[in-house]
Amino acid sequence: MKDVRVEGERSLLLGIGISAVGIGMYVPFSLVFFHHVTGLSFPLVGLVLTVTGVAGLVFMPLAGTAVDRFGAKKVNLVLYGIRAAGFALYPFAGSLPAFAAVALVTALADRSFGVVQQSLIGEVAQGSARDRLQASTRALQNAGMGAGALLVSGVLGLWGTGGFTYTAWGNALAFAFAGLLVSRVRPVRAAVRPLVAEPARRAPAGYRTVLRDRPFLGLTAANFLTALGYSALSVLFPLYLSTWLAAPDSLTGAAFTVNTALCAGVGVLIASRVRRSGARRTRSAALGALLFAAAFAGQIVLGTLRPGQTVTLVALLAIVVVYTLGELVHSPSGGALSVSAAPEAVRGRYLATYQLSYSLATALAPALFTALLSVDGRLPWAVLTVAALGAALALLRLERHLPAAAVHAEPPAAAPNPLAATAA
């Protein structure tokens, strides 16, 4: 079935890509970035970013409530405005209180943005269009962040560390322009409901509704297991290379390059193939988890054999390719599954709960991976393998308990009615 285009889709995706460029201009250099922009010491900058990051996690449920009350598009525009104002003010936040205040407000917007963006996809798209937007969004985010990192490298080459100030203002412009573009997207108009259903539709529903939805909580728990794997490339992989394999640090950069290039270059194509195959979202997401498990098991084998440097290089890049394929298969299906499993009236709260699984995994990963790595370099990969296999199994078991509209990107074809054929 041909995908229905979203009104303002090009503006939405262009805005996502431009904001990703802004993110790529500071995330890879975050401590150095804020140190040079504000003039504060590295320990102070690190402390403020940690505290405000945790505060941002606490704020996420409130963002979900705001989405349900005001709509995802309005909240999305507000968050873009806050991020633009925050980066415009960072060069003037030379004192600790000023930096903490700007960083706190900006962190609240940053941490909540994923919840709101996912909700916006659910608000503007239906059916397989959600899967397509999920894939396009991920590809643009990877491409934009890579472009942003290259751009800031050029800026620093021209103006030195003073270029970080111009980068901050560039980020402000990027977020402001992205907000203007996203303002052009139009939410899907829901079908007209009977008047008798109106009171029920407007009945208040809070987070207790989410906590009573056991299938969705199971989906969130399964995503936590997979989300640990998403943290592996950035947190575990560099440590594993340098400590257990004694490989050159340059391999980390090569792995990131391969991952980013594949996500940006073939992510939409792979997601399109999966979508057009008619696979249920639960099963394609489970396939992505299985590919993760295969990549992690490959690391265990490599860490056991420890071959020569040339073989290690080839094996590592092959493992990264398998890992990235898992990411490209799982991410669109898993994201669309969570959006479609959330009831429209409380979609913001549902997705805030779901996104906490990513945030919790990101927060736990450094301590968990380093602790396991200190025992044996293969141990964290073994834990990740079991976690990915558990996520795949959970997704398959949840399939019959989740709404059919969430499991299927398009409604399954109705079986032919033999009685109707006989009557004809």
Side-chain angles (χ1 to χ4, degrees):
M1 181 179 293
K2 186 177 180 181
D3 292 335
V4 178
R5 309 303 294 183
V6 173
E7 186 177 352
E9 179 175 329
R10 291 182 179 178
S11 296
L12 171 65
L13 294 176
L14 183 58
I16 289 171
I18 290 174
S19 66
V21 172
I23 294 170
M25 291 170 69
Y26 78 93
V27 165
F29 314 94
S30 55
L31 284 174
V32 179
F33 176 92
F34 290 114
H35 165 71
H36 287 291
V37 168
T38 64
L40 298 174
S41 67
F42 286 114
L44 281 178
V45 169
L47 177 62
V48 169
L49 293 181
T50 299
V51 172
T52 56
V54 172
L57 292 179
V58 177
F59 185 75
M60 285 173 63
L62 297 179
T65 302
V67 166
D68 294 334
R69 185 181 181 113
F70 302 108
K73 178 182 174 181
K74 292 180 180 178
V75 180
N76 184 277
L77 295 177
V78 169
L79 295 188
Y80 268 131
I82 292 174
R83 296 164 98 190
F87 278 93
L89 291 174
Y90 269 129
F92 305 103
S95 66
L96 178 59
F99 174 58
V102 176
L104 176 61
V105 175
T106 308
L108 298 183
D110 283 342
R111 291 287 185 174
S112 300
F113 192 79
V115 174
V116 178
Q117 183 166 278
Q118 289 284 74
S119 300
L120 181 61
I121 290 176
E123 192 173 276
V124 303
Q126 294 180 336
S128 61
R130 289 177 177 172
D131 303 69
R132 189 189 68 249
L133 284 180
Q134 293 280 353
S136 299
T137 296
R138 189 160 194 87
L140 284 169
Q141 286 174 336
N142 278 275
M145 289 184 67
L150 288 175
L151 181 60
V152 74
S153 298
V155 170
L156 296 178
L158 288 174
W159 290 292
T161 54
F164 278 120
T165 297
Y166 300 112
T167 301
W169 289 332
N171 285 339
L173 289 174
F175 290 133
F177 188 40
L180 289 174
L181 287 168
V182 172
S183 68
R184 301 177 62 182
V185 74
R186 295 290 178 266
V188 175
R189 298 296 179 187
V192 177
R193 297 176 175 86
L195 292 177
V196 294
E198 187 68 16
R201 184 175 70 87
R202 291 188 174 180
Y207 278 98
R208 285 179 295 179
T209 304
V210 186
L211 296 178
R212 287 195 296 264
D213 193 335
R214 291 186 178 180
F216 191 85
L217 293 181
L219 181 64
T220 302
N223 189 68
F224 169 76
L225 297 177
T226 312
L228 286 172
Y230 276 93
S231 301
L233 188 62
S234 59
V235 178
L236 175 58
F237 190 78
L239 293 175
Y240 175 71
L241 284 183
S242 60
T243 60
W244 188 258
L245 294 182
D249 293 333
S250 59
L251 283 182
T252 298
F256 273 94
T257 300
V258 170
N259 176 261
T260 302
L262 287 175
C263 288
V266 300
V268 175
L269 175 62
I270 290 177
S272 176
R273 292 290 178 87
V274 172
R275 187 172 69 251
R276 294 182 188 281
S277 72
R280 300 177 185 182
R281 287 170 174 152
T282 43
R283 298 183 185 184
S284 51
L287 174 60
L290 289 176
L291 289 170
F292 271 173
F296 301 148
Q299 294 284 24
I300 297 173
V301 173
L302 184 61
T304 301
L305 299 178
R306 298 191 190 184
Q309 186 169 339
T310 301
V311 176
T312 298
L313 171 62
V314 174
L316 282 173
L317 293 181
I319 288 170
V320 170
V321 170
V322 175
Y323 170 89
T324 305
L325 289 176
E327 181 180 343
L328 296 179
V329 172
H330 174 272
S331 180
S333 300
L337 182 62
S338 65
V339 172
S340 302
E344 181 181 346
V346 283
R347 184 184 290 138
R349 293 175 174 89
Y350 265 67
L351 293 182
T353 303
Y354 185 81
Q355 288 294 317
L356 280 173
S357 63
Y358 278 114
S359 299
L360 183 59
T362 302
L364 292 178
L368 175 64
F369 292 160
T370 52
L372 295 173
L373 193 65
S374 66
V375 178
D376 189 294
R378 296 161 295 184
L379 185 56
W381 298 113
V383 171
L384 286 174
T385 302
V386 173
L389 291 174
L393 178 61
L395 284 165
L396 295 177
R397 291 177 65 88
L398 285 167
E399 184 175 286
R400 59 179 178 166
H401 301 290
L402 292 168
V407 172
H408 299 272
E410 296 292 349
N417 188 338
L419 296 180
T422 302

